Amino acid sequence: EVQLVESGGGLVQPGGSLRLSCTGSGFTFSSYEMSWVRQAPGKGLEWISYISYSGIIISYADSVKGRFTISRDNAKNSLFLHMNSLTVEDTAVYYCAGDVSGDPTSWGQGTLVTVSS
Amino acid sequence: NFMLTQPHSVSESPGKTVTISCTRISGNIASNYVQWHQQRPGSAPTTVIYEDNQRPSGVPDRFSGSVDSSSNSASLTISGLKTEDEAVYFCQSYDSSHNWVFGGGTKLTVL
């Protein structure tokens, strides 16, 4: 069974930084394209970043470009999101999600990031 | 880039059939696969339809997906509605740069 588990969320002050992690199990992590998706309180889903299975291709939503960095360590079945210069608008539940051709998207349970003074 | 537009809410009675639309604004709906994700209150999303019309194992065959190029839209149809189907449903597709694009979500009420 495919499992994705996020960690690293918490309370951070505006302007601060945080690193989220997502660990996969039950599947060949290195074959999956991975993304981060967030959901602000009471709002819809917002895609924020993508990384190819090899880590070579990376993209970001305009809302986080230049502030967030996605990376992965296939040897450790792990995905990361480094978040800098956080603002209150970044307050959300952050989900990691994995894709491989021919299979449905797999989602983690989410980790809450609260940016507040 | 493009947008995906969904109705804000739909409601139907138990046992009936409901169809949720997802219209692509700019570009061809058939250019990239469409997924449908279900999100129950307080829970993470789960995928109920992938690659336009494929159903993951464990998802009842009451759920089906389709794409219509003439209306440039995708649809999620749920037949034999159950109260447990109450959720927000998000359509999602990709652009040419692997970026995901979500619709705004449709709240389904089964009453």
Side-chain angles (χ1 to χ4, degrees), chain A residues 35 37 39 44-47 50 57 59 95 97 99 101-105 107-109, chain B residues 35 37 39 43-47 50-51 56 90 92 94 97-100 102-104:
Chain A
S35 294
V37 173
Q39 187 171 38
L45 300 175
E46 178 191 15
W47 169 85
Y50 159 90
I57 301 173
S59 60
Y95 298 100
D99 267 327
S101 178
D103 281 347
T105 300
W107 294 82
Q109 86 289 349
Chain B
Q35 279 64 236
H37 309 290
Q39 188 176 36
S43 296
T46 61
T47 303
Y50 67 104
E51 293 181 357
F90 295 92
Q92 172 256 318
Y94 309 91
S97 301
H98 308 279
N99 304 338
W100 293 20
F102 285 102

Side-chain angles (χ1 to χ4, degrees), chain A residues 26-96:
Chain A
F27 64 105
T28 305
F29 185 83
S30 58
S31 297
Y32 274 59
E33 302 177 337
M34 301 297 297
S35 294
W36 287 98
V37 173
R38 70 183 181 183
Q39 187 171 38
K43 301 297 185 182
L45 300 175
E46 178 191 15
W47 169 85
I48 56 173
S49 189
Y50 159 90
I51 187 167
S52 63
Y53 65 93
S54 63
I56 292 176
I57 301 173
I58 285 174
S59 60
Y60 299 97
D62 288 344
S63 58
V64 305
K65 198 173 295 183
R67 300 187 300 123
F68 290 11
T69 301
I70 191 171
S71 62
R72 66 190 295 163
D73 183 343
N74 286 340
K76 296 183 178 179
N77 291 349
S78 294
L79 174 73
F80 305 102
L81 186 68
H82 298 254
M83 305 185 295
N84 296 323
S85 304
L86 287 162
T87 73
V88 294
E89 286 74 33
D90 295 315
T91 294
V93 176
Y94 285 73
Y95 298 100
C96 65

